[in-house]
Amino acid sequence: MKVSVDADRCRGHGACLGLCPEVFTLTDSGYAEAAAGAVPAHLEDAVADAVSACPESAIVIE
Ligand code: F3S
């Protein structure tokens, strides 16, 4: 699984950071970005939770 944040949709709500801080970080501009590369298997459920929790539907699983 790979994941990314659509910068055009993210509004900085931060739910993703709370659910999976190992993958999602906040940029200096206040929006989220996802770590590059494959999501470790043990974090896939947390990433899926973040996808569901984002109110802007900004997180995309590739
Ligand atoms: Fe942005 Fe959604 Fe996370 S709006 S900060 S990707 S919860």
Side-chain angles (χ1 to χ4, degrees):
M1 172 198 281
K2 292 178 83 173
V3 67
S4 63
V5 175
D6 184 338
D8 292 333
R9 298 183 74 112
C10 177
R11 292 293 176 268
H13 294 293
C16 55
L17 309 172
L19 289 165
C20 193
E22 298 90 342
V23 171
F24 299 101
T25 54
L26 212 57
T27 67
D28 289 344
S29 55
Y31 300 113
E33 67 180 9
V39 174
H42 71 284
L43 296 176
E44 288 187 353
D45 286 350
V47 168
D49 288 345
V51 170
S52 298
C54 177
E56 307 295 338
S57 300
I59 305 171
V60 181
I61 291 176
E62 301 166 8

